[in-house]
Amino acid sequence: MILIKSAAEIELMREAGRITAGALRVVGEAVRPGITTKELDRIAEEYIRSQGAEPAFLGYYGFTGTLCTSVNEQVVHGIPGRRVLQEGDIVSVDCGAIYEGYYGDSAVTFPVGEVSQEARRLMDVTRAALEAGIAKCRPDMRLYDVGHAVQQVAEAAGFSVVREYVGHGIGRDMHEDPQVPNFGKAGTGPQLKAGMVLAVEPMINAGRHEVRGLDDGWTVVTADSKLSAHFEHTIAITADGPLVLTVE
Ligand code: MG
Ligand code: MG
């Protein structure tokens, strides 16, 4: 069942989203060659707690980070640790915060120093795919219009869309109904309604769409070891159109 949030609930989610966005901002300011993913994680946790919120991922099914940090061919769910970021890497940082019982969820892929033209293009296209998906988060659209828009942007650029991991409804739980795939047939799926809140999160691969999991039980990588990028926002659907909650 897709829950409808009240205006008061969306206000609280806007605060959760603001804090999530702030955490990603301070992490982005810290990303540079030589920093470890664990240091980025500490920066995010400190920021979230300083705002009166709690990290959403820490302890989730036993996850040990405040962030997911996924480098280069890592798609999602990378565990922060001793890995040192290198010039030319890209790092996908996924972050969630809980404020007054409500969740915010957002992700950004950051360049580490100077990156290749291909890496830059992958990040630009993934961000544009997210924007195209957000534009469909309106009461006159159906759910798979969102993924269809994402897929069109990604595939027109010659990239591919991860199938196994998807966006989701969000509210008092991090993952609520519905699942929000980054692919699909336009004009199909449940009717979108004002008060629904969705996390839209394209994971776009430079090469083929297949992925596999590593032995750590979390990290997902591209099967062909080519780069992957990930951008995400939490969006409330309103009568006036999409309202992005994960901004400062
Ligand atoms: Mg996320
Ligand atoms: Mg998410």
Side-chain angles (χ1 to χ4, degrees), residues 133-212:
I134 290 171
K136 301 295 183 184
C137 292
R138 317 169 48 90
D140 56 342
M141 291 287 158
R142 288 178 178 270
L143 180 63
Y144 302 142
D145 286 317
V146 176
H148 181 77
V150 168
Q151 184 175 22
Q152 276 202 317
V153 171
E155 292 182 354
F159 298 139
S160 62
V161 172
V162 172
R163 307 292 201 272
E164 287 87 345
Y165 299 88
V166 297
H168 48 93
I170 180 168
R172 294 183 71 86
D173 283 306
M174 186 152 66
H175 297 119
E176 297 183 351
D177 283 342
Q179 293 200 347
V180 184
N182 295 299
F183 54 91
K185 189 169 170 350
T188 66
Q191 184 72 46
L192 298 181
K193 294 194 174 86
M196 291 179 179
V197 183
L198 305 177
V200 179
E201 51 178 312
M203 289 146 265
I204 306 299
N205 295 349
R208 296 174 54 84
H209 72 78
E210 290 87 354
V211 298
R212 65 185 176 86

Side-chain angles (χ1 to χ4, degrees), residues 73-131:
E73 80 286 359
Q74 297 177 352
V75 179
V76 285
H77 304 165
I79 306 168
R82 283 174 299 187
R83 181 165 184 165
V84 178
L85 296 179
Q86 309 288 331
E87 178 90 20
D89 284 345
I90 60 173
V91 58
S92 296
V93 179
D94 197 346
C95 183
I98 314 168
Y99 180 78
E100 300 279 329
Y102 287 87
Y103 284 75
D105 189 6
S106 185
V108 177
T109 300
F110 296 106
V112 182
E114 284 297 313
V115 301
S116 69
Q117 207 172 353
E118 176 77 345
R120 171 61 60 188
R121 196 170 72 87
L122 178 65
M123 290 188 291
D124 289 347
V125 166
T126 306
R127 191 190 288 271
L130 171 58
E131 293 301 326

Side-chain angles (χ1 to χ4, degrees), residues 186-248:
T188 66
Q191 184 72 46
L192 298 181
K193 294 194 174 86
M196 291 179 179
V197 183
L198 305 177
V200 179
E201 51 178 312
M203 289 146 265
I204 306 299
N205 295 349
R208 296 174 54 84
H209 72 78
E210 290 87 354
V211 298
R212 65 185 176 86
L214 296 187
D215 289 341
D216 65 19
W218 285 101
T219 312
V220 177
V221 299
T222 55
D224 62 9
S225 299
K226 292 190 176 169
L227 295 177
S228 187
H230 182 207
F231 284 84
E232 175 180 27
H233 272 307
T234 298
I235 301 119
I237 295 165
T238 78
D240 301 327
L243 175 64
V244 178
L245 301 177
T246 35
V247 290
E248 289 191 279

